[in-house]
């Protein structure tokens, strides 16, 4: 059962996709009979990150060590996630999390982070049609389903 959830952010994160993850997992709706999660927003690149919206920043006190206890790790989309390189320590943390039984999910272009970590091999994944060709090139062992 999922109890501990972390959203991991990189520079250029999209506030809308981050907001969706925060809305689903970060709000206490236990009075409505829904589960309550221990939720944290985690930075992979320092305590303060820029979003893709001019001048808007996001900060968090949590670093990648917070991923070690997460049952679910969410990777929201970002503006240059298709073409950028990712911190090796983030990719390693994602692999370790999956190896210990954690689940991972991505929102939109966050899928490129999971693919770069090698976590899509042999798995079905849906992506926007505009990104399907690039993801197939980068992750040839993933089963790409353009949506």
């Amino acid at each position: 059962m999922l109890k501990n959830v972390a959203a991991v952010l990189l520079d250029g994160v999209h506030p809308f996709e981050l907001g969706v993850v925060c809305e689903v997992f970060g709000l206490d709706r236990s009075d409505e009979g829904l589960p309550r999660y221990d939720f944290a927003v985690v930075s992979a690149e320092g305590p303060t990150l820029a979003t893709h919206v001019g001048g808007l920043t996001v900060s968090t006190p949590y670093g990648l060590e917070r991923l070690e206890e997460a049952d679910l790790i969410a990777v929201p989309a970002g503006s240059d996630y298709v073409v950028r390189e990712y911190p090796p320590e983030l990719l390693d943390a994602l692999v370790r999390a999956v190896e210990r039984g954690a689940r991972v999910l991505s929102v939109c272009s966050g899928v490129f982070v999971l693919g770069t970590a090698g976590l899509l091999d042999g798995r079905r994944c849906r992506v926007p049609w505009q990104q399907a060709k690039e993801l197939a090139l980068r992750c040839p062992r993933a089963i790409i389903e353009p949506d």
Side-chain angles (χ1 to χ4, degrees), residues 52-75:
H52 85 291
V53 178
L56 181 63
T57 60
V58 178
S59 63
T60 177
Y62 300 104
L64 292 176
E65 67 282 350
R66 178 63 172 73
L67 301 182
E68 299 299 326
E69 60 193 71
D71 302 314
L72 173 69
I73 300 168
V75 183

Side-chain angles (χ1 to χ4, degrees), residues 107-118:
V107 180
C108 198
S109 63
V111 72
F112 285 89
V113 179
L114 301 182
T116 302

Side-chain angles (χ1 to χ4, degrees), residues 20-95:
V20 169
V21 173
C22 291
E23 182 81 16
V24 171
F25 298 107
L27 294 180
D28 180 1
R29 291 196 174 100
S30 55
D31 60 337
E32 299 172 26
L34 297 171
R36 184 171 190 272
Y37 301 102
D38 180 4
F39 178 74
V41 176
V42 173
S43 173
E45 297 179 309
T48 303
L49 300 170
T51 71
H52 85 291
V53 178
L56 181 63
T57 60
V58 178
S59 63
T60 177
Y62 300 104
L64 292 176
E65 67 282 350
R66 178 63 172 73
L67 301 182
E68 299 299 326
E69 60 193 71
D71 302 314
L72 173 69
I73 300 168
V75 183
S79 60
D80 64 350
Y81 287 16
V82 176
V83 296
R84 71 167 292 176
E85 292 188 24
Y86 309 106
E89 56 275 9
L90 169 60
L91 302 176
D92 293 343
L94 290 169
V95 170

